[in-house]
Amino acid sequence: MTVTTDAGLSDTDIAPGVPDLDDVAGHWVGAEEIAHLPSLRNQQGQGHVNSDLTSASWLVAPPFTFGYHTGELRLDGRTPAAQRFLWKPWGVVREHRGDGLLLRTDTRMALSRDLLLWRIAVTNECPEARTVELSQDLYAMVAHTEVGYGWLYDVPWNNGNHHDFMALERIRATTGGRAAPYLLSPAPRRLRLGKPRIPGIQRDEDNGPMLLDDALPSHFSHDKEPEPRAGVAAAVRTLRVESGDGGLVLGIEEPTSLTPEGEAAFDAFALTPGMAISFDLRLDATGQTGTVLTHGNHPDSLQIGVQDGRLWLGITGERELSSADLPAGIWHRVNTHVEADQAVLMLDGEVIARTRHWSASRRWNSRVTDGLDSVLTVEDTDSPARAAYAFSGPPPVLTSTGAGGIATWTCRIEPGQSLTIEVACAYGSDADEVRAEARTAVEDFEATLRAGEDGWRQHWTNMFTPGNPDFSGHLPTFTTHDAGLAKTYYMGALQLLYMRNMRIRPGEPVFLTGGPRLGPTTTYFWDHCEWSRMYALLEPAGLRSWLLRVLAGPYKESFGIDARSGGPLGNAYSANDYALFRLIEHYVCITGDTAFLDTTAGGTTVLEHLERLGFGWRDKRTPATGGVLADFGEDPWQLLECIPDYTGVVASFNGAYAGSTHALAGLYRQRGRHEDADRTEGEARELANAVLDLYAGDGRWHIRRPEATDTIGHCLDFGLVAAALYRELDPRVRREMADFVESDLLVGGWMRALSPNDPAAATSDRPDHGAGGAFCAWPGVTAHGLARLGFRDRAVSLLRNLSSAASGGLWGQAMEIVTGADGQLRAQVAERGVSNRETIAGAAGAEAVISALFDVNPSFVGDRPPGSLPDAVTADGIGTLSGLRRPE
């Protein structure tokens, strides 16, 4: 590899640099080719489009959050499904062609505004005129809340605000003419009497598996008081669960005594249409409030309880309170009957409560204003949230229906002609202001759309412009003839811009980790380190501020922070020490801000934090696993979340510790602390040698636990060991590691995280960290490792093809390997389970262009002082990276 710094090539040698944003952003994708539908973002909020032509779900722009979806478009009484999608940063175009008509819609979250926009166009492709009726549901189930924005953030439901991932996804699945029922979860769950468990830990047993498809950890923010959860003082007898055909599913005859803090658990089963659950209930005291029965402990679980002595029924965001008071000391027969679309509660044979469809809400009120500029307004009775719909084009016939309304147009369209309708929905906390905002948006709808597109394009240009007004730094320009490498680099840059949020912390940019179904304010430490060079180049002031807030908190005990409240989120990650060390090292070495190391965060200097991180292996050593390397314990959720045996002593993060310890030695030497540097270099060598002893041959590594030693072939071991210990690995091991990647992991223009030949593969099909695919950062990490081992040509080949996996948009958390229509393996953004449509770590491919292909690897080790990057770097056969140096 030949890399020349501060050298340039002539215009005849290199293609132009920064491409037009349209050339980087998405392309048309057929519905049959895409699993995870496109998203919406506007630098202050996020959302998802659905399978129909207009509705959107998971809309959130803190402090505003939407429930359910915004409503579907019907043509002559039918709901057409979107047949193909076109994503751009400013919005999503959906299209349906059939029966001589072309329907094309454009859905947007207006840039940096609390405003949703729709343009609906119907083109008559028939030889004769057509009269069509279009009707658009207008829902705005919006709430205003200042709390509850964790990874599992609060969504408004008819019964309060809470996160119910599975239920909302079932509601989304009904869109596009798929009138599937949504009320009943298909998952088997245990029936319990007594105090309910906290929903959100979506598994029935404390030690049960946490699978991507049907389980989530309790990653809520800490700024919201949890709902009180208690049982009741009562007795239950003759508990029966019967299937729709009368078969007995569960039968418990003997009485069960209940206390407010007690629980009785029974066998698991799935709710099915026609099922009945019945029991005799006797309360020990009147006026009690608490839960009697729950099926599972998920937010959408069927529950029966009492409130002030009155029975209630809850399921999937609904809670119906009856007027029936239960006197104490008397046995009553309680029965609930569940169907696909409703649940009914009966007391002593009489119906006392019945759930309704989600759209028949009593929480939100709507009304239509009169006049030519008719507006539909919606108000939340539980919060100050307000919304307003306004229209341009043919005026609709408007009707209000509780939580929203319906707009209807009946129009004659001549052959070859089009009908265009434009809709705006503004939201906020002042009714007059949102009405005015919606009306202003539709007065010149084209200008409203154009302003958003122009704003995105200006942000894009500014990303690569020194001294720009948007960012405290800028990204280097990559100039190359290699279209594949250029696409990988610039798509990675767009991923950063798209995930930026400017409202969570006023005046400070926040780069969100994922979404849109999760985390509208969340930043993970590990994900941020996957683009740490780019972070320090693009937004050094923002990175500095973020690091100080993180270091002032309990970063050893959480995976990230709620950037809005500043509080910690989630469980500890074994990656935290490595991730934060790398972020600090790259920030200081790229910016030259060595004074940052002496800045105080949480009563401790950054340098002292850095030492805690770099030496984090010291207090993780145990005699049972050798006493030298870090033992990461028995909880797989602290490492890779899905491989049960990936615990104990693993090569990946031990290799990273060896690299961090080596870097600390370099920092000590820079500061004149030569004795500390010598001692630390000795510790780094000891660690490195112990990691090398874990090598199992053929590119695989040992996992050492007190009771056993296994081998595994995972890209994380490859990537972190190659990055940290490439100098220590002999040529044979380097070749075996690179060959293992090529033979076992690379596939379909993407890769697998875990070798499909490993025994663990059968129990780990997750498409992010298992054998089913790979997390969006792993190709970049792998390419960096290949280059470090001396195989830059393989790194180039891997990076060149990554854009083909993005499913018409950007890279998602989990990229799943599937068989295409042509019979060939390919990768797509996974949708199943809780995968994110976009994840900030997808920029790791662009990061690898910088680190692997141009050898921009700033470190405390070496003779180059911090902040001394060259302005330009040229790599033979690759191109030039220019604008690396910050302007004076």
Side-chain angles (χ1 to χ4, degrees):
M1 174 181 180
T2 302
V3 175
T4 306
T5 60
D6 288 318
L9 301 181
S10 69
D11 291 340
T12 59
D13 293 327
I14 300 179
V18 181
D20 185 86
L21 186 53
D22 261 321
D23 294 332
V24 180
H27 56 271
W28 282 105
V29 181
E32 71 283 354
E33 303 173 64
I34 188 170
H36 208 141
L37 300 184
S39 68
L40 302 166
R41 294 181 188 268
N42 69 346
Q43 302 281 290
Q44 62 188 35
Q46 59 187 33
H48 253 306
V49 303
N50 297 329
S51 297
D52 61 304
L53 289 172
T54 54
S55 77
S57 297
W58 294 109
L59 292 165
V60 56
F64 300 103
T65 173
F66 283 70
Y68 305 101
H69 64 67
T70 55
E72 297 179 276
L73 175 71
R74 288 180 295 279
L75 171 67
D76 296 331
R78 296 178 295 105
T79 303
Q83 296 168 336
R84 62 178 192 154
F85 301 82
L86 174 64
W87 172 85
K88 296 292 182 182
W90 47 81
V92 178
V93 179
R94 286 173 273 187
E95 195 175 83
H96 176 97
R97 176 179 269 113
D99 195 27
L101 297 174
L102 172 64
L103 284 81
R104 177 175 289 183
T105 66
D106 189 346
T107 307
R108 306 189 182 190
M109 296 182 79
L111 182 62
S112 301
R113 297 170 71 178
D114 290 328
L115 182 68
L116 305 173
L117 303 169
W118 291 268
R119 172 174 277 172
I120 303 167
V122 186
T123 300
N124 182 7
E125 298 181 329
C126 297
E128 64 277 345
R130 292 283 298 273
T131 298
V132 300
E133 180 187 88
L134 294 174
S135 61
Q136 174 65 55
D137 293 330
L138 308 168
Y139 297 121
M141 292 169 164
V142 59
H144 178 286
T145 177
E146 298 290 347
V147 298
Y149 292 102
W151 186 240
L152 276 63
Y153 71 93
D154 279 358
V155 172
W157 297 83
N158 291 327
N159 178 51
N161 299 340
H162 62 270
H163 193 94
D164 191 342
F165 187 95
M166 309 305 175
L168 188 46
E169 284 299 287
R170 291 199 301 272
I171 290 172
R172 289 185 68 212
T174 68
T175 60
R178 299 176 297 173
Y182 67 90
L183 202 63
L184 307 182
S185 168
R189 298 174 182 175
R190 289 175 72 102
L191 188 73
R192 286 186 172 87
L193 299 176
K195 180 182 179 180
R197 300 185 172 199
I198 299 173
I201 306 176
Q202 300 199 355
R203 52 183 178 166
D204 278 335
E205 299 299 330
D206 293 335
N207 59 353
M210 300 179 98
L211 304 175
L212 188 67
D213 289 342
D214 60 8
L216 285 170
S218 183
H219 294 336
F220 300 106
S221 62
H222 297 284
D223 58 3
K224 179 184 176 183
E225 192 70 24
E227 180 183 342
R229 303 191 181 278
V232 295
V236 168
R237 69 183 184 190
T238 321
L239 173 64
R240 294 180 64 82
V241 179
E242 296 177 337
S243 62
D245 59 6
L248 184 64
V249 176
L250 179 67
I252 308 295
E253 295 298 328
E254 60 271 16
T256 301
S257 296
L258 305 181
T259 64
E261 297 300 317
E263 172 193 85
F266 304 101
D267 291 343
F269 58 89
L271 290 178
T272 56
M275 184 170 281
I277 302 174
S278 60
F279 55 91
D280 291 335
L281 172 66
R282 186 192 65 203
L283 295 178
D284 291 351
T286 59
Q288 295 188 69
T289 295
T291 301
V292 175
L293 176 147
T294 179
H295 178 250
N297 65 308
H298 299 50
D300 63 340
S301 291
L302 173 71
Q303 290 191 339
I304 299 172
V306 291
Q307 179 176 318
D308 299 325
R310 296 161 59 193
L311 275 174
W312 55 261
L313 168 69
I315 188 171
T316 309
E318 316 297 332
R319 180 175 289 191
E320 297 294 335
L321 179 64
S322 76
S323 59
D325 287 310
L326 295 187
I330 300 174
W331 287 103
H332 297 274
R333 191 64 179 170
V334 179
N335 180 285
T336 183
H337 183 84
V338 296
E339 293 291 351
D341 55 357
Q342 70 170 352
V344 177
L345 181 65
M346 291 175 282
L347 177 65
D348 296 328
E350 298 291 331
V351 174
I352 60 171
R354 185 191 304 269
T355 64
R356 295 168 294 171
H357 190 267
W358 62 263
S359 61
S361 173
R362 289 176 293 197
R363 174 172 173 175
W364 291 271
N365 296 324
S366 64
R367 66 186 182 90
V368 175
T369 61
D370 297 328
L372 294 177
D373 56 346
S374 293
V375 172
L376 179 105
T377 59
V378 182
E379 66 172 9
D380 180 19
T381 61
D382 287 357
S383 81
R386 302 292 183 263
Y389 281 93
F391 313 87
S392 63
V397 175
L398 275 180
T399 58
S400 62
T401 58
I406 301 175
T408 304
W409 297 264
T410 302
C411 301
R412 178 182 172 88
I413 309 175
E414 297 298 324
Q417 299 299 303
S418 297
L419 166 69
T420 300
I421 295 164
E422 293 151 340
V423 183
C425 175
Y427 50 94
S429 55
D430 184 286
D432 292 335
E433 289 180 2
V434 298
R435 271 196 303 270
E437 176 79 349
R439 283 172 169 163
T440 299
V442 298
E443 284 175 359
D444 189 341
F445 199 84
E446 182 61 34
T448 303
L449 295 182
R450 190 168 57 251
E453 288 188 31
D454 291 347
W456 278 103
R457 294 180 193 281
Q458 190 60 60
H459 289 326
W460 175 249
T461 299
N462 288 344
M463 284 189 81
F464 305 93
T465 304
N468 70 82
D470 273 343
F471 306 92
S472 58
H474 66 279
L475 291 178
T477 297
F478 178 34
T479 308
T480 180
H481 284 299
D482 193 314
L485 291 178
K487 193 71 179 277
T488 293
Y489 178 75
Y490 286 106
M491 277 181 61
L494 179 55
Q495 191 122 12
L496 303 181
L497 176 60
Y498 193 56
M499 301 299 285
R500 188 177 73 148
N501 188 297
M502 296 299 293
R503 188 160 81 179
I504 295 171
R505 297 189 66 82
E508 178 186 326
V510 170
F511 294 88
L512 298 175
T513 290
R517 302 184 295 186
L518 299 161
T521 63
T522 301
T523 55
Y524 278 62
F525 310 146
W526 193 0
D527 294 67
H528 267 358
C529 94
E530 302 298 357
W531 60 288
S532 51
R533 296 170 185 79
M534 298 177 76
Y535 203 166
L537 289 164
L538 176 65
E539 192 50 75
L543 174 54
R544 190 182 200 276
S545 176
W546 181 83
L547 280 170
L548 289 176
R549 284 191 285 112
V550 168
L551 295 175
Y555 56 83
K556 292 277 191 176
E557 302 167 14
S558 61
F559 59 58
I561 59 170
D562 172 1
R564 194 165 191 269
S565 71
L569 281 177
N571 55 282
Y573 267 7
S574 298
N576 287 356
D577 287 355
Y578 153 71
L580 292 174
F581 189 100
R582 171 172 156 171
L583 282 156
I584 295 170
E585 182 180 26
H586 284 168
Y587 169 75
V588 172
C589 293
I590 286 175
T591 65
D593 182 11
T594 56
F596 179 64
L597 295 171
D598 300 310
T599 304
T600 299
T604 303
T605 67
V606 173
L607 177 57
E608 290 170 323
H609 284 293
L610 196 66
E611 291 171 319
R612 290 180 185 175
L613 298 166
F615 292 131
W617 52 270
R618 288 176 172 174
D619 60 4
K620 294 182 175 67
R621 296 172 293 179
T622 62
T625 49
V628 176
L629 297 173
D631 185 330
F632 297 100
E634 300 177 354
D635 185 359
W637 276 84
Q638 294 194 14
L639 277 89
L640 281 176
E641 302 185 349
C642 68
I643 301 177
D645 295 336
Y646 200 76
T647 57
V649 173
V650 297
S652 56
F653 292 119
N654 273 295
Y657 272 134
S660 297
T661 305
H662 182 57
L664 272 176
L667 179 60
Y668 288 147
R669 206 165 295 287
Q670 285 181 12
R671 295 198 151 206
R673 296 168 55 179
H674 297 292
E675 289 186 5
D676 289 334
D678 292 342
R679 172 184 51 79
T680 304
E681 284 176 353
E683 289 185 281
R685 283 193 298 271
E686 182 183 16
L687 274 178
N689 289 334
V691 171
L692 297 181
D693 285 343
L694 292 176
Y695 186 62
D698 296 326
R700 289 170 165 79
W701 296 84
H702 286 301
I703 302 169
R704 186 183 300 153
R705 296 187 302 279
E707 72 282 2
T709 297
D710 297 321
T711 61
I712 194 168
H714 198 280
C715 71
L716 187 63
D717 288 329
F718 170 84
L720 295 192
V721 171
L725 303 180
Y726 62 95
R727 300 177 189 88
E728 289 82 358
L729 295 165
D730 66 47
R732 176 187 60 83
V733 174
R734 291 186 184 195
R735 170 69 64 178
E736 288 178 358
M737 290 173 64
D739 288 348
F740 162 76
V741 166
E742 192 158 20
S743 65
D744 280 44
L745 302 185
L746 301 188
V747 62
W750 193 254
M751 64 182 294
R752 303 182 193 273
L754 174 68
S755 169
N757 300 318
D758 271 28
T763 56
S764 180
D765 73 335
R766 270 180 57 161
D768 52 356
H769 303 317
F775 181 52
C776 57
W778 297 154
V781 170
T782 301
H784 178 81
L786 287 168
R788 281 313 218 191
L789 296 182
F791 299 94
R792 189 184 72 153
D793 55 336
R794 300 192 193 188
V796 169
S797 296
L798 173 56
L799 293 173
R800 181 180 288 138
N801 295 321
L802 299 187
S803 64
S804 65
S807 296
L810 299 173
W811 297 289
Q813 169 196 332
M815 307 296 296
E816 188 168 25
I817 304 300
V818 297
T819 302
D822 58 359
Q824 301 299 308
L825 293 177
R826 64 178 181 87
Q828 66 180 16
V829 180
E831 187 270 344
R832 64 186 176 93
V834 294
S835 302
N836 291 279
R837 181 54 184 85
E838 293 91 23
T839 299
I840 194 75
E847 178 94 347
V849 169
I850 296 173
S851 69
L853 306 190
F854 290 96
D855 199 25
V856 178
N857 291 292
S859 172
F860 293 132
V861 178
D863 299 328
R864 186 183 289 272
S868 57
L869 291 178
D871 184 60
V873 182
T874 296
D876 290 349
I878 302 297
T880 295
L881 202 63
S882 59
L884 276 165
R885 186 182 299 147
R886 300 177 67 197
E888 300 296 334

